Amino acid sequence: RPRVVINVPLLFARERREISKMLKHEFIHLGQLHRRPVGLAVGGWDVKNQEEYFSNKDEIMAFAHSVTDELISMGAKSVEDGIKLLSRSRMWAWIKDNAKESALKRYRKYIYFYLKLELEGEA
């Protein structure tokens, strides 16, 4: 299970939100692990090779959810709002600069899926 251990006297709201976003990202990976056959692990890709890392199917799902969280925190109240705000997302810009073009299509699909799920309760 993902855990965060922090030894500080006080966490501000911004830090709590960021930790929450990181945990959501890791819980996506946990769900992926549970859907795999026993013994088939997740992870292990080279984070230094950003094109490979951001183009990995598991990371696409998790980072698409992270982008969705960012869009919602930017004020998206509907799927359409989220799509309009996508070009202003710092995380999306980082992903676009590093992922393969074929992976970006999958990102857009999952961002749309997660926006529907988070904002409309359906996918």
Side-chain angles (χ1 to χ4, degrees), residues 56-75:
N56 177 280
K57 291 179 184 179
D58 291 336
E59 292 303 333
I60 290 171
M61 281 183 77
F63 274 109
H65 196 280
S66 297
V67 170
T68 300
D69 281 343
E70 184 182 29
L71 296 172
I72 291 170
S73 71
M74 291 168 67

Side-chain angles (χ1 to χ4, degrees), residues 18-120:
E18 290 305 312
I19 291 168
S20 174
K21 289 175 187 178
M22 285 187 277
L23 285 171
K24 284 181 180 181
H25 179 102
E26 295 307 322
F27 275 114
I28 298 271
H29 290 314
L30 188 61
Q32 292 166 339
L33 180 63
H34 287 298
R35 287 189 299 275
R36 285 192 163 79
V38 175
L40 186 61
V42 137
W45 24 93
D46 185 4
V47 182
K48 293 177 187 171
N49 182 342
Q50 291 197 348
E51 182 178 273
E52 181 182 319
Y53 180 69
F54 282 115
S55 298
N56 177 280
K57 291 179 184 179
D58 291 336
E59 292 303 333
I60 290 171
M61 281 183 77
F63 274 109
H65 196 280
S66 297
V67 170
T68 300
D69 281 343
E70 184 182 29
L71 296 172
I72 291 170
S73 71
M74 291 168 67
K77 301 280 189 238
S78 67
V79 174
E80 294 77 19
D81 289 347
I83 300 303
K84 288 176 187 172
L85 288 170
L86 190 58
S87 64
R88 293 182 37 211
S89 163
R90 293 175 74 194
M91 186 172 292
W92 176 246
W94 183 35
I95 291 166
K96 270 183 42 177
D97 287 346
N98 291 289
K100 295 175 184 172
E101 187 61 39
S102 60
L104 294 177
K105 290 179 185 177
R106 189 171 276 135
Y107 272 105
R108 288 181 185 97
K109 176 183 116 178
Y110 277 111
I111 291 167
Y112 179 83
F113 171 81
Y114 288 132
L115 282 168
K116 282 195 72 73
L117 190 64
E118 294 287 329
L119 297 172
E120 298 176 3

